[in-house]
Amino acid sequence: SEYVFGMQAKAPAILFEGVQVRGSIDWIERHSETGALRITDHKTGRNPKDKVHHIGGGAILQPLLYALAVEDLLKQPVKISRLYYCTQRGNYDTAPVAITEHSKHDLRRALEIIDGGVTGGFLPAAPAKGQCEWCDYRMVCGPREEERTRRKPKVIQLTELRSLS
């Protein structure tokens, strides 16, 4: 692979007929023989306990968001996008995400669910089972957030979002 560049575009990328995203991408590589693009997002935290398939139940959107943003801005397909846990804390591990029609479909649905929560003003704290044990923001929520929110009525859209792999 050859290093292409880190990317920070001035204009937003447009995904799915109107979803605008703007940000900074750590690393884009182009394969020297095939020309295929690979996106890498460097992470300093812990890597997830479970293997990331493509959006991790809505918790891991960056690989796909970055891939689709690059496809829009560079007009070239991205074959793979990955998270690279580049510290001892992250065990120097990678989590690759293939860019497929299925993964794009799940990302679109996840964005629809999130948009519905934002426009409807309903974004409840509802950590998934076991997530508070390793969360970096535990000091913000307190030590018993998972137990406290377990008593809230189930949210259909959140359940659907978490079912998206």
Side-chain angles (χ1 to χ4, degrees), residues 39-68:
I39 310 299
T40 300
D41 183 38
H42 295 97
K43 308 306 275 181
T44 57
R46 296 179 185 104
N47 55 336
K49 293 177 183 177
D50 297 326
K51 180 181 175 188
V52 176
H53 292 285
H54 43 268
I55 64 168
I60 302 172
L61 302 176
Q62 283 176 299
L64 279 169
L65 288 173
Y66 288 178
L68 295 182

Side-chain angles (χ1 to χ4, degrees), residues 87-130:
T87 62
Q88 184 176 10
R89 181 179 181 191
N91 201 29
Y92 305 102
D93 201 7
T94 61
V97 175
I99 313 306
T100 65
E101 288 307 312
H102 179 69
S103 63
K104 289 177 184 180
H105 175 270
D106 280 358
L107 176 63
R108 179 191 295 258
R109 183 61 190 133
L111 293 176
E112 289 170 353
I113 293 168
I114 293 165
D115 185 58
V118 171
T119 57
F122 187 65
L123 298 168
K129 183 176 170 86

Side-chain angles (χ1 to χ4, degrees), residues 141-159:
C141 298
R144 303 179 70 134
E145 187 67 12
E146 187 178 337
E147 180 182 326
R148 185 182 71 77
T149 59
R150 191 177 304 132
R151 291 176 272 160
K152 289 183 179 181
K154 295 290 181 192
V155 179
I156 293 170
Q157 289 83 7
L158 186 56
T159 303

Side-chain angles (χ1 to χ4, degrees), residues 5-8 23-28 39-41 65-67 69-70:
F5 53 84
M7 183 173 165
Q8 187 168 10
S24 180
I25 296 172
D26 293 336
W27 197 2
I28 302 172
I39 310 299
T40 300
D41 183 38
L65 288 173
Y66 288 178
V70 166

